[in-house]
Amino acid sequence: MTVDHLVVVGASLAGIRAVESARKAGHTGRITLVGAEEHLPYDRPPLSKAFLEASEEAPADPRFRTEEHLRDELGVELRLGAPATGLDPKARLIALDDTEIGYDALVATTGGTARRLPGTDGIAGVHTLRTWDDAVAVRSALDAGARTVVIGAGFIGSEVASAARKRGLPATVVESLPVPLVRSVGEDMGHACAYLHRAHGTDLFCGATVLSLEQVDGRVTGVRLGDRSTVPADLVVVGIGVDPSTGWLEGSGLEVHERDHGVVADATLRCADGVYAAGDVVHFPNKLFDGEMMRLEHWTTAAEQGALAARNALDPDHATELGTVPYFWSDWYGSRIQFVGRPQADEIRVISAETGDARFLALYRRADRLVGTITIDRPTQIMKYKRLIATRASWAEALEFAGVG
Amino acid sequence: MSLQVVLDQDKCSGLGLCEAEAPEIFEVREDGSLAVLDETPADEHRMACEAAVAACPTEALRLIES
Ligand SMILES: Cc1cc2nc3c(=O)[nH]c(=O)nc-3n(C[C@H](O)[C@H](O)[C@H](O)COP(=O)(O)OP(=O)(O)OC[C@H]3O[C@@H](n4cnc5c(N)ncnc54)[C@H](O)[C@@H]3O)c2cc1C
Ligand code: SF4
């Protein structure tokens, strides 16, 4: 069947890319973009970076497009502030609170929600950082000179600590693992990240648990740790991960992943007839890594998948499969951390330790293949490694390129 | 018709995703800024340049037909 009405659920990065690529692919039918937030689609990476910097002027507007552009240039019907509550793939209907919308093709781009610390809802000064509204709250706490405690030494939390230190405010990061980021980048790199925190005056407590938050009159005053010590705090940012937003898919028959309930798609990002998914919400088999299932929370993947999911949804008979090298970056304390590929490896070799270079470089090997590379402050190199991974370069080639072969 | 690459230095954050798409045209320098190696690329680079424009997270790149 030909697609007349394309509905995109989730009005953020993957969603806007889906809309734009549908038009670019020549779709002239209706497009409806449904979003839970009141805001027009906006960009998240700046929210933990430039947005938090001290400045006289208001921070840059993170929205991708104006309402006029979406409506008039792209011909999109906007349903913002209207979360989808259900999906019936057989009848090709989605439910909103007050109505139903029929579709011919659907792209689900509902991303994820920041995990909260149990029992802390409603305490003033405690925030996650996922949305624009979150960022406004965190920024104004920093403007007020908050002593900042970040729970979880992930990338976004680390960027918040970095922003606090840049303003000269005290910052503490509390991490339950013995080494930060071991699961996402490995132990050596975790130590390198820990070093960045400490070198810039952030207190980093690893292997530490949070017992409770201390509060006075409903406002946080400190974080109590497992060893009974208390870190004073006016701002607590909880960065303990993201849960895919798939509650609205319950009962739809779509497969969700047993671990995190992300929606499961095939290599063309198809979940069911007429239903495709893209961005942080989706598990997909990555052709470039021999079909390994992955769910990524990376800007570049969300953009790429959004565009592909829409093209495939409009023309399923000619759907193409996704093969992509995951990529993310993070900016802390004026250093740029860049990662390409996959961190799960048979061996992680810290090249910079061998060559005596202060700027971190590590390569990740699976069998005989280079599968990942991480760098700190090596902007000229990272994309060359990305190409090596994309072309399935052997480990020997990678070592030679790194100058240690 | 020839192709021209326009870079908005203020928007570019030097992530190098353009370079991953079109290494003949873009290269991130040691200081993290972006060098456009060829501002008027030959037609054979058109697809790669379009991919680079689409890949840029900050929308710092434009292509002009002149
Ligand atoms: C502070 C921050 C900093 C980041 N920094 C980096 C970085 O430096 N590098 C990097 O690679 N990545 C970074 N990321 C990750 C990147 O922003 C995400 O990968 C990207 O936003 C994913 O886009 P998405 O469209 O899949 O999902 P999201 O951006 O999560 O958007 C999903 C949208 O769907 C909406 N929604 C949810 N449920 C429903 C529903 N039932 N009905 C309708 N709408 C719904 C949500 O409200 C949301 O607007 C960062 C993320 C954050 C939060
Ligand atoms: S992808 Fe965009 S931001 Fe990144 S280096 Fe290229 S032009 Fe600059």
Side-chain angles (χ1 to χ4, degrees), chain A residues 140-159:
Chain A
S140 72
L142 293 174
D143 282 345
R147 296 164 299 174
T148 304
V149 176
V150 174
I151 299 179
F155 285 103
I156 290 170
S158 297
E159 290 181 341

mmCIF file of all heavy atoms in Angstrom, chain A residues 140-159:
data_model
loop_
_atom_site.group_PDB
_atom_site.id
_atom_site.type_symbol
_atom_site.label_atom_id
_atom_site.label_comp_id
_atom_site.label_asym_id
_atom_site.label_seq_id
_atom_site.Cartn_x
_atom_site.Cartn_y
_atom_site.Cartn_z
ATOM 1 N N SER A 140 19.620 27.550 36.802
ATOM 2 C CA SER A 140 19.314 28.602 37.766
ATOM 3 C C SER A 140 19.868 28.252 39.157
ATOM 4 O O SER A 140 20.281 29.135 39.898
ATOM 5 C CB SER A 140 17.827 28.966 37.776
ATOM 6 O OG SER A 140 17.103 27.934 38.367
ATOM 7 N N ALA A 141 19.960 26.964 39.470
ATOM 8 C CA ALA A 141 20.615 26.581 40.727
ATOM 9 C C ALA A 141 22.099 26.949 40.690
ATOM 10 O O ALA A 141 22.653 27.451 41.677
ATOM 11 C CB ALA A 141 20.443 25.082 40.973
ATOM 12 N N LEU A 142 22.734 26.719 39.550
ATOM 13 C CA LEU A 142 24.150 27.085 39.423
ATOM 14 C C LEU A 142 24.316 28.600 39.493
ATOM 15 O O LEU A 142 25.244 29.111 40.122
ATOM 16 C CB LEU A 142 24.737 26.542 38.113
ATOM 17 C CG LEU A 142 24.853 25.014 37.996
ATOM 18 C CD1 LEU A 142 25.301 24.619 36.595
ATOM 19 C CD2 LEU A 142 25.820 24.446 39.037
ATOM 20 N N ASP A 143 23.398 29.324 38.858
ATOM 21 C CA ASP A 143 23.440 30.793 38.927
ATOM 22 C C ASP A 143 23.373 31.265 40.374
ATOM 23 O O ASP A 143 23.952 32.284 40.734
ATOM 24 C CB ASP A 143 22.262 31.409 38.145
ATOM 25 C CG ASP A 143 22.504 31.393 36.645
ATOM 26 O OD1 ASP A 143 23.663 31.188 36.230
ATOM 27 O OD2 ASP A 143 21.531 31.567 35.886
ATOM 28 N N ALA A 144 22.637 30.516 41.200
ATOM 29 C CA ALA A 144 22.489 30.904 42.604
ATOM 30 C C ALA A 144 23.679 30.425 43.445
ATOM 31 O O ALA A 144 23.687 30.575 44.670
ATOM 32 C CB ALA A 144 21.180 30.342 43.159
ATOM 33 N N GLY A 145 24.665 29.820 42.776
ATOM 34 C CA GLY A 145 25.880 29.435 43.495
ATOM 35 C C GLY A 145 25.786 28.121 44.243
ATOM 36 O O GLY A 145 26.453 27.920 45.264
ATOM 37 N N ALA A 146 25.001 27.202 43.728
ATOM 38 C CA ALA A 146 24.754 25.943 44.440
ATOM 39 C C ALA A 146 26.014 25.112 44.632
ATOM 40 O O ALA A 146 26.827 24.973 43.718
ATOM 41 C CB ALA A 146 23.721 25.116 43.668
ATOM 42 N N ARG A 147 26.143 24.548 45.833
ATOM 43 C CA ARG A 147 27.100 23.459 46.024
ATOM 44 C C ARG A 147 26.481 22.245 45.348
ATOM 45 O O ARG A 147 25.356 21.857 45.661
ATOM 46 C CB ARG A 147 27.312 23.198 47.512
ATOM 47 C CG ARG A 147 27.939 24.385 48.253
ATOM 48 C CD ARG A 147 27.771 24.247 49.745
ATOM 49 N NE ARG A 147 26.357 24.208 50.106
ATOM 50 C CZ ARG A 147 25.909 23.980 51.348
ATOM 51 N NH1 ARG A 147 26.763 23.773 52.338
ATOM 52 N NH2 ARG A 147 24.616 23.956 51.601
ATOM 53 N N THR A 148 27.229 21.652 44.411
ATOM 54 C CA THR A 148 26.627 20.674 43.505
ATOM 55 C C THR A 148 27.104 19.258 43.800
ATOM 56 O O THR A 148 28.305 19.026 43.922
ATOM 57 C CB THR A 148 26.991 21.040 42.042
ATOM 58 O OG1 THR A 148 26.566 22.383 41.809
ATOM 59 C CG2 THR A 148 26.334 20.102 41.048
ATOM 60 N N VAL A 149 26.162 18.346 43.920
ATOM 61 C CA VAL A 149 26.516 16.935 44.021
ATOM 62 C C VAL A 149 25.852 16.194 42.857
ATOM 63 O O VAL A 149 24.647 16.334 42.630
ATOM 64 C CB VAL A 149 26.071 16.313 45.357
ATOM 65 C CG1 VAL A 149 26.375 14.805 45.371
ATOM 66 C CG2 VAL A 149 26.773 16.991 46.528
ATOM 67 N N VAL A 150 26.659 15.444 42.128
ATOM 68 C CA VAL A 150 26.143 14.651 41.026
ATOM 69 C C VAL A 150 26.140 13.194 41.456
ATOM 70 O O VAL A 150 27.156 12.695 41.962
ATOM 71 C CB VAL A 150 27.030 14.836 39.772
ATOM 72 C CG1 VAL A 150 26.576 13.894 38.665
ATOM 73 C CG2 VAL A 150 27.013 16.283 39.314
ATOM 74 N N ILE A 151 25.028 12.530 41.294
ATOM 75 C CA ILE A 151 24.952 11.111 41.643
ATOM 76 C C ILE A 151 25.045 10.302 40.356
ATOM 77 O O ILE A 151 24.187 10.415 39.475
ATOM 78 C CB ILE A 151 23.658 10.813 42.424
ATOM 79 C CG1 ILE A 151 23.677 11.631 43.730
ATOM 80 C CG2 ILE A 151 23.538 9.315 42.709
ATOM 81 C CD1 ILE A 151 22.460 11.461 44.598
ATOM 82 N N GLY A 152 26.127 9.532 40.236
ATOM 83 C CA GLY A 152 26.372 8.769 39.008
ATOM 84 C C GLY A 152 27.421 9.469 38.162
ATOM 85 O O GLY A 152 27.225 10.616 37.762
ATOM 86 N N ALA A 153 28.546 8.789 37.900
ATOM 87 C CA ALA A 153 29.653 9.423 37.176
ATOM 88 C C ALA A 153 29.566 9.174 35.679
ATOM 89 O O ALA A 153 30.572 8.939 35.023
ATOM 90 C CB ALA A 153 30.992 8.926 37.724
ATOM 91 N N GLY A 154 28.376 9.220 35.125
ATOM 92 C CA GLY A 154 28.219 9.057 33.679
ATOM 93 C C GLY A 154 28.624 10.331 32.950
ATOM 94 O O GLY A 154 29.091 11.295 33.558
ATOM 95 N N PHE A 155 28.413 10.320 31.641
ATOM 96 C CA PHE A 155 28.894 11.456 30.854
ATOM 97 C C PHE A 155 28.131 12.738 31.165
ATOM 98 O O PHE A 155 28.730 13.795 31.336
ATOM 99 C CB PHE A 155 28.831 11.124 29.364
ATOM 100 C CG PHE A 155 29.918 10.183 28.964
ATOM 101 C CD1 PHE A 155 29.666 8.842 28.748
ATOM 102 C CD2 PHE A 155 31.229 10.627 28.865
ATOM 103 C CE1 PHE A 155 30.683 7.967 28.413
ATOM 104 C CE2 PHE A 155 32.260 9.767 28.539
ATOM 105 C CZ PHE A 155 31.987 8.427 28.304
ATOM 106 N N ILE A 156 26.812 12.645 31.234
ATOM 107 C CA ILE A 156 26.048 13.872 31.431
ATOM 108 C C ILE A 156 26.299 14.444 32.824
ATOM 109 O O ILE A 156 26.558 15.644 32.984
ATOM 110 C CB ILE A 156 24.546 13.593 31.186
ATOM 111 C CG1 ILE A 156 24.345 13.335 29.688
ATOM 112 C CG2 ILE A 156 23.689 14.770 31.639
ATOM 113 C CD1 ILE A 156 22.980 12.817 29.327
ATOM 114 N N GLY A 157 26.304 13.595 33.847
ATOM 115 C CA GLY A 157 26.596 14.053 35.200
ATOM 116 C C GLY A 157 27.978 14.679 35.288
ATOM 117 O O GLY A 157 28.181 15.700 35.964
ATOM 118 N N SER A 158 28.922 14.085 34.582
ATOM 119 C CA SER A 158 30.282 14.624 34.607
ATOM 120 C C SER A 158 30.330 16.000 33.963
ATOM 121 O O SER A 158 31.088 16.870 34.395
ATOM 122 C CB SER A 158 31.235 13.673 33.882
ATOM 123 O OG SER A 158 31.279 12.437 34.564
ATOM 124 N N GLU A 159 29.519 16.191 32.937
ATOM 125 C CA GLU A 159 29.474 17.512 32.313
ATOM 126 C C GLU A 159 28.888 18.545 33.271
ATOM 127 O O GLU A 159 29.325 19.703 33.293
ATOM 128 C CB GLU A 159 28.665 17.456 31.005
ATOM 129 C CG GLU A 159 29.407 16.682 29.923
ATOM 130 C CD GLU A 159 28.683 16.601 28.580
ATOM 131 O OE1 GLU A 159 27.450 16.817 28.532
ATOM 132 O OE2 GLU A 159 29.345 16.315 27.579
#
